[in-house]
Coordinates of all heavy atoms in Angstrom, one line a residue:
E135 N 167.2 218.3 164.8 CA 166.8 217.2 165.6 C 166.9 217.4 167.1 O 166.1 216.9 167.9 CB 167.6 216.0 165.1 CG 167.3 215.5 163.7 CD 168.1 214.2 163.3 OE1 168.8 213.7 164.2 OE2 167.9 213.8 162.2
L136 N 168.0 218.1 167.5 CA 168.2 218.4 168.9 C 167.0 219.2 169.4 O 166.5 219.0 170.5 CB 169.5 219.0 169.2 CG 170.8 218.1 169.1 CD1 172.0 219.0 169.1 CD2 170.8 217.2 170.2
Y137 N 166.7 220.2 168.6 CA 165.6 221.1 169.1 C 164.2 220.4 169.1 O 163.4 220.6 170.0 CB 165.5 222.3 168.1 CG 164.5 223.3 168.5 CD1 164.6 224.1 169.7 CD2 163.4 223.6 167.7 CE1 163.6 225.0 170.0 CE2 162.4 224.5 168.0 CZ 162.5 225.2 169.2 OH 161.6 226.1 169.6
D138 N 164.0 219.5 168.2 CA 162.7 218.8 168.1 C 162.6 217.9 169.4 O 161.5 217.6 169.8 CB 162.6 218.0 166.9 CG 162.4 218.8 165.6 OD1 161.9 219.9 165.8 OD2 162.7 218.4 164.5
S139 N 163.8 217.4 169.8 CA 163.8 216.5 171.0 C 163.7 217.2 172.3 O 163.5 216.6 173.4 CB 165.1 215.6 171.0 OG 166.2 216.5 171.3
G140 N 163.7 218.6 172.3 CA 163.6 219.4 173.5 C 164.9 219.5 174.3 O 164.9 219.9 175.5
S141 N 166.0 219.1 173.7 CA 167.3 219.2 174.4 C 167.9 220.6 174.5 O 168.8 220.8 175.3 CB 168.3 218.2 173.8 OG 167.8 216.9 173.9
I142 N 167.5 221.5 173.6 CA 168.1 222.8 173.6 C 166.9 223.8 173.5 O 165.8 223.5 173.0 CB 169.0 223.1 172.5 CG1 168.4 222.7 171.1 CG2 170.3 222.3 172.7 CD1 169.3 223.0 169.9
T143 N 167.1 225.0 174.1 CA 166.1 226.1 174.0 C 166.1 226.8 172.7 O 167.0 226.6 171.9 CB 166.4 227.1 175.1 OG1 167.7 227.7 174.8 CG2 166.5 226.5 176.5
P144 N 165.0 227.6 172.4 CA 165.0 228.3 171.1 C 166.2 229.2 170.9 O 166.7 229.2 169.8 CB 163.7 229.1 171.2 CG 162.8 228.3 172.2 CD 163.8 227.7 173.2
S145 N 166.7 229.9 171.9 CA 167.8 230.8 171.7 C 169.1 230.0 171.4 O 169.9 230.4 170.6 CB 168.0 231.7 172.9 OG 168.2 230.9 174.1
Q146 N 169.2 228.8 172.1 CA 170.4 228.0 171.9 C 170.3 227.3 170.5 O 171.3 227.2 169.8 CB 170.4 226.9 173.0 CG 170.8 227.4 174.3 CD 170.5 226.4 175.4 OE1 169.9 225.4 175.2 NE2 171.0 226.7 176.6
F147 N 169.1 227.0 170.0 CA 168.9 226.5 168.7 C 169.3 227.5 167.6 O 170.0 227.1 166.7 CB 167.4 226.1 168.6 CG 167.0 225.6 167.2 CD1 167.8 224.7 166.5 CD2 165.9 226.1 166.6 CE1 167.4 224.3 165.2 CE2 165.5 225.7 165.3 CZ 166.3 224.8 164.6
S148 N 168.9 228.7 167.8 CA 169.2 229.8 166.8 C 170.7 229.9 166.8 O 171.3 230.1 165.7 CB 168.6 231.1 167.2 OG 168.9 232.1 166.3
K149 N 171.4 229.9 167.9 CA 172.8 230.0 167.9 C 173.5 228.8 167.3 O 174.5 228.9 166.6 CB 173.3 230.2 169.4 CG 174.8 230.4 169.6 CD 175.1 230.7 171.0 CE 176.6 230.9 171.2 NZ 177.0 231.2 172.6
L150 N 173.1 227.6 167.7 CA 173.7 226.4 167.2 C 173.7 226.2 165.7 O 174.6 225.8 165.1 CB 173.0 225.2 167.9 CG 173.6 223.8 167.6 CD1 175.1 223.7 168.0 CD2 172.8 222.7 168.2
V151 N 172.6 226.6 165.1 CA 172.5 226.5 163.6 C 173.6 227.3 162.9 O 174.1 226.9 161.9 CB 171.1 227.0 163.1 CG1 171.1 227.2 161.6 CG2 170.0 226.0 163.6
N152 N 173.9 228.5 163.5 CA 175.0 229.3 162.9 C 176.4 228.7 163.3 O 177.3 228.8 162.4 CB 174.9 230.7 163.4 CG 173.7 231.5 162.8 OD1 173.8 232.1 161.7 ND2 172.6 231.4 163.4
V153 N 176.6 228.2 164.5 CA 177.9 227.7 164.9 C 178.2 226.4 164.2 O 179.3 226.1 163.8 CB 178.0 227.6 166.4 CG1 179.3 227.0 166.8 CG2 177.7 229.0 167.0
A154 N 177.2 225.5 164.1 CA 177.4 224.2 163.5 C 177.2 224.3 162.0 O 176.5 223.5 161.4 CB 176.4 223.2 164.1
S155 N 177.9 225.3 161.4 CA 177.8 225.4 159.9 C 179.2 225.7 159.4 O 179.7 226.9 159.5 CB 176.9 226.6 159.6 OG 175.6 226.3 159.9
N156 N 179.9 224.7 159.0 CA 181.3 224.8 158.5 C 181.5 224.0 157.3 O 180.8 223.1 157.0 CB 182.2 224.3 159.6 CG 182.0 225.0 161.0 OD1 182.4 226.1 161.2 ND2 181.3 224.3 161.9
S157 N 182.6 224.4 156.6 CA 183.1 223.5 155.5 C 183.8 222.4 156.1 O 184.4 222.5 157.1 CB 184.0 224.3 154.6 OG 183.3 225.4 153.9
S158 N 183.7 221.2 155.4 CA 184.4 220.0 156.0 C 185.9 220.2 155.8 O 186.4 220.9 154.9 CB 183.9 218.8 155.2 OG 184.4 218.8 153.9
P159 N 186.7 219.5 156.7 CA 188.2 219.5 156.6 C 188.7 219.0 155.2 O 189.6 219.6 154.7 CB 188.6 218.6 157.7 CG 187.5 218.6 158.7 CD 186.2 218.7 157.8
L160 N 188.0 218.0 154.7 CA 188.5 217.5 153.4 C 188.2 218.4 152.2 O 188.9 218.4 151.3 CB 187.9 216.1 153.2 CG 188.8 214.9 153.4 CD1 189.9 214.8 152.4 CD2 189.4 215.0 154.8
F161 N 187.1 219.2 152.3 CA 186.9 220.2 151.3 C 187.9 221.3 151.3 O 188.4 221.6 150.3 CB 185.5 220.7 151.4 CG 185.2 221.8 150.5 CD1 184.9 221.6 149.1 CD2 185.2 223.2 150.9 CE1 184.6 222.6 148.2 CE2 184.9 224.2 150.0 CZ 184.6 223.9 148.6
L162 N 188.2 221.7 152.5 CA 189.2 222.8 152.6 C 190.6 222.4 152.3 O 191.3 223.0 151.6 CB 189.1 223.4 154.0 CG 187.8 224.2 154.4 CD1 187.8 224.5 155.9 CD2 187.6 225.4 153.6
V163 N 191.0 221.3 152.9 CA 192.4 220.8 152.8 C 192.6 220.1 151.5 O 193.6 220.3 150.8 CB 192.8 220.0 154.0 CG1 194.3 219.5 153.8 CG2 192.7 220.7 155.3
G164 N 191.6 219.2 151.2 CA 191.8 218.3 150.0 C 191.4 219.0 148.7 O 192.2 219.2 147.8
A165 N 190.1 219.4 148.6 CA 189.5 219.9 147.4 C 190.1 221.3 147.0 O 190.6 221.5 145.9 CB 188.0 220.0 147.4
V166 N 190.0 222.2 148.0 CA 190.5 223.6 147.7 C 192.0 223.7 147.8 O 192.7 224.2 146.9 CB 189.8 224.6 148.7 CG1 190.3 226.0 148.4 CG2 188.3 224.5 148.5

Side-chain angles (χ1 to χ4, degrees):
E135 291 185 3
L136 285 171
Y137 182 64
D138 288 337
S139 70
S141 295
I142 54 178
T143 63
S145 60
Q146 292 166 347
F147 174 47
S148 178
K149 180 177 181 178
L150 182 61
V151 168
N152 288 270
V153 177
S155 297
N156 306 283
S157 296
S158 68
L160 256 291
F161 175 75
L162 294 170
V163 179
V166 180

